[in-house]
Amino acid sequence: MLKKIFPLIASALAVALLSACYHDKHEFMANEFGGQPVGYVALQLMWDNESDADATLKSITFQAFGADDIVRSRTFTSVEEAAAWLQQLPVGNYDILVAANMDEASGYVLTTGSGTRSTARLTTTSVALADYNLPPSQSWFAVTNVTISEGDIIVAQIRLRRLLSSLAITISEVLEGYSLTASVEHTAQGVILSETDGSGRYGVASADEQAVECGLLATDGTNHSLTRRFMPTASSQERTIISIEIATPEGTSFKRIINAPAMLIGQDHSLNIRYSELQSVIYINSTNVNDWNIGTILDGGSAEGTK
């Protein structure tokens, strides 16, 4: 079940009170569109993944795209501010895009295209990381469609979806004195928020790819681990390449390659493997549709290694 970010509107009574408040507010709003028939839209923010319920949203960007190149945008600094806002729009159909924590302070570059739109109302909007080698914080986005009728107030339900993929790797029983460094290849340079994938869901990884240096794996005894977020795998690639550089106490080094399924937008991926199982190349086949989770007993797929 989806959890609503703003608990004030969780009950039917609260919705009624909020609607009354909006009604009072819009009665005093001057027509911003030269006397055209107008209606109003308000935001109801919800989580796509209920485990995000404790996340803090410090930047929420709203954009409404309609016919005749009508565009309205606004940025909020809190959930409360976004929930209390009411946007006036001319009568018609609109695509609404919301991006949360995709601001510069969070390490993101959000780009909205310019120019006249054709059949699609939604202007091309993409997001990238300012520095791919810095561990990024999570962000969220959503696209929905609303129809504005004269004098009516539409409460748009915005289900915020995670942008970044997460990857957790644990290599156990590593020999004493060995150090492991990781890099991940084929991650996308960005995500096009305004495009839909094959299932009709908004958000498509860009075709351009980026290699990410992750540095030394953290150590806990003989366990070496990496837990980090990444852009999803580039749409031009079908696989994720994880390179593990191993340095011995004697000063020699060698590389192991993990060839894994694609990392998907907003999904969690994990790999737990013993050091003795690392081979020159490990090819992971996942039996899961949306993610992969490979353990030492191969519970989620199968691994095939080559010497």
Side-chain angles (χ1 to χ4, degrees):
M1 180 178 179
L2 293 173
K3 288 187 178 180
K4 297 172 183 177
I5 295 176
F6 194 52
L8 179 63
I9 56 178
S11 69
L13 176 60
V15 170
L17 291 173
L18 190 61
S19 297
C21 176
Y22 283 146
H23 179 78
D24 292 340
K25 182 184 293 186
H26 96 270
E27 289 291 333
F28 298 98
M29 293 179 68
N31 189 302
E32 302 173 8
F33 295 93
Q36 295 182 58
V38 297
Y40 305 84
V41 63
L43 303 181
Q44 183 183 17
L45 300 176
M46 308 172 72
W47 292 120
D48 187 57
N49 188 325
E50 63 179 15
S51 63
D52 292 331
D54 293 331
T56 300
L57 301 184
K58 298 180 180 179
S59 174
I60 305 169
T61 299
F62 163 94
Q63 297 180 83
F65 303 90
D68 301 322
D69 290 333
I70 294 175
V71 179
R72 286 293 183 272
S73 62
R74 182 159 178 171
T75 299
F76 310 98
T77 58
S78 70
V79 172
E80 292 79 6
E81 184 183 0
W85 171 76
L86 190 65
Q87 175 64 59
Q88 182 185 104
L89 292 168
V91 169
N93 294 318
Y94 292 85
D95 289 322
I96 293 177
L97 187 152
V98 174
N101 288 9
M102 290 186 188
D103 57 324
E104 183 178 350
S106 301
Y108 288 89
V109 178
L110 186 64
T111 304
T112 300
S114 59
T116 302
R117 298 177 301 280
S118 53
T119 55
R121 288 183 298 269
L122 204 58
T123 296
T124 300
T125 303
S126 61
V127 63
L129 296 173
D131 188 337
Y132 292 91
N133 291 319
L134 291 179
S137 59
Q138 188 61 272
S139 60
W140 296 263
F141 71 100
V143 177
T144 192
N145 175 265
V146 297
T147 299
I148 302 297
S149 301
E150 185 172 4
D152 288 346
I153 299 173
I154 299 298
V155 179
Q157 291 189 341
I158 306 297
R159 291 179 170 84
L160 292 171
R161 176 190 182 192
R162 292 177 184 175
L163 174 76
L164 299 178
S165 309
S166 68
L167 175 62
I169 300 174
T170 298
I171 301 174
S172 60
E173 302 175 9
V174 177
L175 299 176
E176 185 176 355
Y178 280 48
S179 61
L180 278 62
T181 303
S183 63
V184 177
E185 300 175 28
H186 295 175
T187 66
Q189 289 191 3
V191 171
I192 306 169
L193 307 178
S194 53
E195 286 192 5
T196 56
D197 59 20
S199 64
R201 196 171 195 189
Y202 280 95
V204 174
S206 67
D208 297 333
E209 57 184 276
Q210 178 76 37
V212 179
E213 299 294 334
C214 304
L216 283 171
L217 273 63
T219 58
D220 180 11
T222 61
N223 294 331
H224 292 229
S225 62
L226 167 70
T227 301
R228 177 179 167 144
R229 301 183 183 95
F230 298 86
M231 281 290 180
T233 301
S235 59
S236 59
Q237 300 293 331
E238 296 182 352
R239 310 283 296 177
T240 300
I241 303 299
I242 304 165
S243 297
I244 305 294
E245 187 81 21
I246 302 170
T248 71
E250 294 74 29
T252 60
S253 63
F254 51 94
K255 183 178 290 188
R256 295 292 183 258
I257 302 296
I258 300 172
N259 188 321
M263 294 189 296
L264 305 180
I265 292 175
Q267 295 290 340
D268 297 329
H269 310 279
S270 65
L271 170 66
N272 299 300
I273 192 168
R274 297 185 185 93
Y275 176 80
S276 60
E277 297 173 320
L278 285 177
Q279 302 175 25
S280 296
V281 178
I282 297 177
Y283 190 93
I284 296 175
N285 289 315
S286 175
T287 57
N288 295 323
V289 175
N290 293 324
D291 58 10
W292 45 274
N293 186 318
I294 310 300
T296 54
I297 60 172
L298 307 180
D299 58 337
S302 62
E304 301 171 1
T306 57
K307 296 291 187 181

